[in-house]
Amino acid sequence: MGVLAVSALLFLLLPWLPASGSEPLPRPVAVLFGLGGAALLAFFVALPRRLGYALTPEGLQVSHFSATEVWPYASLDVVSVGGELGLKQVGVGVPGYYTGTYGWKGPEAKTVQALASTPRGGVLLRRAGKLYYLTPADPAAFVRALEEGA
């Protein structure tokens, strides 16, 4: 998160500083850049807080930045525990928030749908023919609860 914060702060501050031997940007342009930096910083701070999993009576509730879904327990199969994401193909990949289509470093698949906070050590689930990589706090307890149907 440090690199993202520094980048956003530079985006906020640099428009106000003069380049070597020149004037700073006009005030309206600097304000627009500053607002863009503030929006970028707020976006990256908000992303990790939007990711979550909850075991409800109806099924596994998966919350991410754009939606909250409930997956019935009967539609879920645990494929493996552990494993590691490969290269991002489509989606978001910032520290603490990995969503989208990623390569998979394992024999189970070539690609997976990630809804994760870390690129390794999570749980690989199959739902409706698709593989999903999730990273609950305690993968072993999570798998036990899924198998029991919570």
Side-chain angles (χ1 to χ4, degrees):
M1 186 64 187
V3 172
L4 295 174
V6 168
S7 298
L9 287 174
L10 286 174
F11 205 81
L12 283 166
L13 298 175
L14 286 180
W16 298 97
L17 302 175
S20 60
S22 69
E23 296 288 319
L25 290 173
R27 187 172 301 273
V29 174
V31 167
L32 284 175
F33 273 98
L35 290 174
L40 186 65
L41 183 61
F43 180 72
F44 284 124
V45 167
L47 274 178
R49 295 170 195 208
R50 303 271 185 203
L51 182 64
Y53 321 109
L55 301 170
T56 68
E58 295 81 31
L60 173 62
Q61 180 178 314
V62 179
S63 301
H64 48 95
F65 191 70
S66 60
T68 297
E69 305 170 63
V70 177
W71 299 346
Y73 295 114
S75 70
L76 301 175
D77 293 315
V78 176
V79 176
S80 67
V81 177
E84 184 175 347
L85 292 177
L87 293 175
K88 175 179 65 172
Q89 296 174 357
V90 177
V92 176
V94 296
Y97 195 82
Y98 301 88
T99 63
T101 304
Y102 281 77
W104 183 250
K105 295 182 179 179
E108 299 87 358
K110 290 185 180 184
T111 61
V112 297
Q113 296 298 308
L115 295 165
S117 59
T118 181
R120 62 186 62 82
V123 176
L124 193 60
L125 298 176
R126 183 180 330 275
R127 177 179 176 263
K130 273 183 147 175
L131 290 173
Y132 291 88
Y133 174 73
L134 310 177
T135 52
D138 184 350
F142 181 77
V143 168
R144 279 193 304 275
L146 284 178
E147 289 172 347
E148 293 170 2

